[in-house]
Amino acid sequence: MKFIVKLFPEITIKSKPVRKRFIQRLQSNLQVTLKRIDNDIKVRGLWDRVEVELPSADRELRARAVELMCCTPGIQHILEVDQYPLGTFEEVFQITREVYAEQVKGKTFVVRIKRGGRHEFKSTDLERYIGGGLLEHCETRGVDLHNPEVTVKLEIRDQQLFLISHQHKGLGGYPLGTQEDVISLISGGFDSVVASYMTMRRGSKTHFLFFNLGGRAHEIGVKQIALYLWQRYGSAARVKFISVPFDEVVGEILQNVHHTHMGVILKRMMMRAAEKVADRMKLPAFVTGESIAQVSSQTLINLQVIDSVTSKLIVRPLVTMDKQDIIDITKEIGAYDFAKNIPEYCGVISDRPTTNAKLERIEEEEANFDFDVLAQALENTQVIFIDKIVEDINIHTTIEALTRVGENQMIIDIRHSREQERKPLNMPKAEVLAIPFFDLETKFQELDQAKEYLLYCDKGVMSQMHAQNLQDKGFGNVKVYRPEV
């Protein structure tokens, strides 16, 4: 089974050296991700495309490969093709008829052919021949050149014919790693999630910087969503998750800063800390999810005051976007159910906040702040590679993982409903409850607490996180179910 991966159009207008580098990076990224599902998958980079060949036509392998390619930055679309030697017009028609006869039955259609190489015919000549044959031999509703119900797609490369059976929409953007690394200030809410996704899509290897204002449960939730973003859109490159304990910084602001300026000063403290982290990692910029006037600290005047505290470039991909558009993107990228359950801790500390901060007044308020508190927070910073999150959780947790289900125990499948449908957990001798992770905390309280519950997910990451969260909230009847492989 073969796929032709078409490049994001902006790549094709780059200079030859840059375009070659981008294609090589895309090829490398696809090799890294696709070989995780089958080591025999072949990836070949060419001047105007990347070709991917699967070792078999297995349906599950095909579905997983398509899903991975559709989430890989740098791809405009993926063509699923059958390859044949280029024969006569009649031979090409017969091949096309065999594939498309049922698809065009009772519908309008048009034939479109892309051709590369030297041939004695024009693309339009072959389009008319195939179109006439389908019109005569298949029960169609006729040809419609402008608004057809079915587009019959073929490509010809020299003496090879590619019949396109399916076209899948790609992510667009630039291949991951073709732009400089950045660090994203992620709170887990809609804005920071979409901002992180957008820089990943644009080709920047995106590390995650989390300022912990809400305790362990908050950190677990943000680690979960960062891990999801990386696994789905950025796993071709290894990145770090950095956590800075900021509760003492918030406490210092609450004690010594006037309530009208708390929001702006908190953001300035975050920028100072982010600059230190970025310097250590030798990164030129960091990313935030701020949008003009969405909250009081994000007026243009306040943003200018916030920016003045750092010499780093602050990238704001969402700066002119509406909130609903941002939320809609989280739904498109599969992050909505994660983000909607993350509380916005930043908004709770300001009372009647200023929207017109003056730098002189801000600096007066900051003179009352003990900067040793910020320095201590940076000293206590934790840095891990994001693919080690589950190991990190295992090190710091007392959650027991079981491979068997005993008496008075029930399994809770906390995967997203889509995953539950795609790959059901078959346990004939055990009772299984399906409660997606985003409903777990609420619904767990309604369960019979005399029973013991084993949380299950595919990789064991989310189950560990949520079991720890429930235990932290006082539920001692929670463990993890991890079946033997």
Side-chain angles (χ1 to χ4, degrees):
M1 180 172 286
K2 190 168 187 175
F3 298 89
I4 295 177
V5 176
K6 293 293 187 177
L7 307 175
F8 180 55
E10 289 182 25
I11 297 174
T12 64
I13 62 174
K14 301 293 183 186
S15 65
K16 287 184 178 181
V18 173
R19 178 171 173 173
K20 183 178 179 181
R21 178 169 61 86
F22 278 30
I23 294 171
Q24 288 174 339
R25 174 63 70 173
L26 178 58
Q27 176 188 356
S28 174
N29 291 347
L30 286 171
Q31 283 175 331
V32 168
T33 54
L34 291 173
K35 284 187 178 294
R36 289 182 185 142
I37 60 173
D38 193 308
N39 200 49
D40 292 327
I41 294 177
K42 293 181 172 58
V43 183
R44 182 182 176 214
L46 301 170
W47 175 244
D48 60 346
R49 66 195 185 280
V50 175
E51 293 183 356
V52 175
E53 191 168 346
L54 305 189
S56 72
D58 179 75
R59 291 179 63 183
E60 185 173 347
L61 178 62
R62 169 195 170 274
R64 292 179 68 190
V66 168
E67 182 180 11
L68 284 171
M69 287 188 286
C70 288
C71 294
T72 300
I75 297 174
Q76 183 68 6
H77 53 257
I78 302 108
L79 306 178
E80 196 169 333
V81 300
D82 296 311
Q83 185 174 344
Y84 307 88
L86 180 64
T88 64
F89 275 24
E90 180 60 24
E91 289 171 335
V92 174
F93 163 67
Q94 291 299 339
I95 292 171
T96 307
R97 178 185 178 184
E98 184 177 341
V99 173
Y100 276 96
E102 285 301 314
Q103 293 186 48
V104 299
K105 186 176 181 179
K107 297 178 181 178
T108 59
F109 73 96
V110 67
V111 180
R112 296 297 184 205
I113 297 174
K114 289 186 177 180
R115 184 174 57 87
R118 294 180 176 273
H119 304 94
E120 295 181 354
F121 60 88
K122 297 179 180 178
S123 299
T124 52
D125 297 334
L126 186 53
E127 287 174 350
R128 292 191 189 101
Y129 188 92
I130 294 173
L134 294 175
L135 197 61
E136 180 179 352
H137 298 286
C138 301
E139 300 172 14
T140 74
R141 287 182 54 222
V143 174
D144 187 336
L145 298 177
H146 304 291
N147 191 28
E149 294 173 89
V150 177
T151 300
V152 178
K153 297 180 180 179
L154 296 86
E155 284 202 17
I156 295 172
R157 297 281 176 180
D158 299 316
Q159 295 305 306
Q160 294 295 314
L161 169 68
F162 299 96
L163 197 65
I164 303 167
S165 56
H166 295 89
Q167 178 171 315
H168 308 277
K169 184 180 179 182
L171 198 62
Y174 292 146
L176 198 66
T178 55
Q179 309 304 309
E180 290 79 7
D181 290 12
V182 296
I183 191 164
S184 177
L185 279 59
I186 186 167
S187 67
F190 297 110
D191 302 337
S192 63
V193 167
V194 174
S196 302
Y197 158 75
M198 291 177 76
T199 52
M200 294 164 72
R201 179 184 174 275
R202 201 61 182 171
S204 287
K205 183 177 166 183
T206 302
H207 304 270
F208 299 97
L209 175 58
F210 168 60
F211 294 105
N212 192 346
L213 311 177
R216 181 171 175 79
H218 187 200
E219 182 169 341
I220 286 173
V222 176
K223 279 182 174 178
Q224 177 178 279
I225 196 167
L227 184 64
Y228 168 81
L229 286 175
W230 175 75
Q231 286 177 332
R232 190 161 180 83
Y233 301 106
S235 65
R238 205 177 188 204
V239 302
K240 293 177 180 177
F241 185 94
I242 303 100
S243 179
V244 183
F246 237 54
D247 49 343
E248 295 294 331
V249 174
V250 172
E252 181 70 13
I253 291 173
L254 287 169
Q255 276 190 312
N256 297 308
V257 172
H258 193 274
H259 62 83
T260 57
H261 290 74
M262 288 179 176
V264 172
I265 289 178
L266 175 61
K267 290 289 182 69
R268 281 168 62 91
M269 294 300 168
M270 289 180 172
M271 295 302 167
R272 287 184 171 101
E275 183 175 53
K276 295 291 186 184
V277 173
D279 283 342
R280 291 174 191 168
M281 298 176 66
K282 299 181 180 179
L283 302 180
F286 38 83
V287 180
T288 76
E290 291 157 320
S291 177
I292 293 174
Q294 191 180 106
V295 296
S296 60
S297 64
Q298 296 174 20
T299 62
L300 286 175
I301 291 173
N302 284 358
L303 289 175
Q304 183 182 29
V305 171
I306 290 167
D307 289 3
S308 67
V309 81
T310 177
S311 61
K312 293 287 183 186
L313 171 66
I314 302 175
V315 180
R316 294 186 170 97
L318 316 183
V319 71
T320 61
M321 290 184 65
D322 297 333
K323 187 71 173 186
Q324 189 56 53
D325 293 334
I326 296 167
I327 292 172
D328 289 344
I329 293 176
T330 65
K331 293 177 181 178
E332 292 172 12
I333 66 176
Y336 175 78
D337 290 323
F338 292 89
K340 75 174 182 180
N341 291 288
I342 299 290
E344 292 287 350
Y345 288 96
C346 295
V348 303
I349 68 164
S350 275
D351 178 29
R352 296 190 298 277
T354 181
T355 58
N356 189 24
K358 300 291 190 290
L359 183 59
E360 297 80 5
R361 173 66 191 280
I362 291 291
E363 290 175 341
E364 286 177 13
E365 293 292 332
E366 287 182 343
N368 300 319
F369 183 90
D370 182 359
F371 278 87
D372 287 342
V373 175
L374 181 63
Q376 188 60 48
L378 285 165
E379 281 293 318
N380 294 329
T381 296
Q382 294 183 342
V383 182
I384 60 171
F385 282 105
I386 199 164
D387 56 323
K388 298 296 183 182
I389 279 180
V390 66
E391 295 177 19
D392 180 69
I393 291 169
N394 287 337
I395 290 170
H396 297 95
T397 187
T398 58
I399 303 296
E400 186 178 357
L402 303 180
T403 59
R404 296 179 182 274
V405 183
E407 292 183 11
N408 203 43
Q409 291 180 331
M410 297 175 64
I411 295 175
I412 301 180
D413 187 344
I414 68 168
R415 296 175 298 167
H416 195 286
S417 53
R418 290 194 303 269
E419 287 298 306
Q420 294 173 0
E421 292 171 6
R422 187 177 69 85
K423 193 177 179 183
L425 179 62
N426 294 316
M427 298 287 294
K429 296 181 180 180
E431 188 173 353
V432 179
L433 300 177
I435 306 178
F437 62 89
F438 46 85
D439 289 331
L440 182 63
E441 187 171 328
T442 301
K443 292 189 176 180
F444 191 85
Q445 302 174 43
E446 303 169 2
L447 300 177
D448 180 2
Q449 299 302 316
K451 292 183 177 293
E452 192 168 65
Y453 297 95
L454 313 182
L455 306 190
Y456 169 79
C457 67
D458 281 331
K459 298 187 185 332
V461 179
M462 288 183 9
S463 56
Q464 281 280 8
M465 289 180 173
H466 285 281
Q468 184 65 58
N469 183 40
L470 289 171
Q471 282 206 0
D472 289 346
K473 292 184 180 299
F475 295 100
N477 56 336
V478 185
K479 295 179 180 177
V480 167
Y481 175 61
R482 191 172 294 163
E484 292 178 328
V485 178

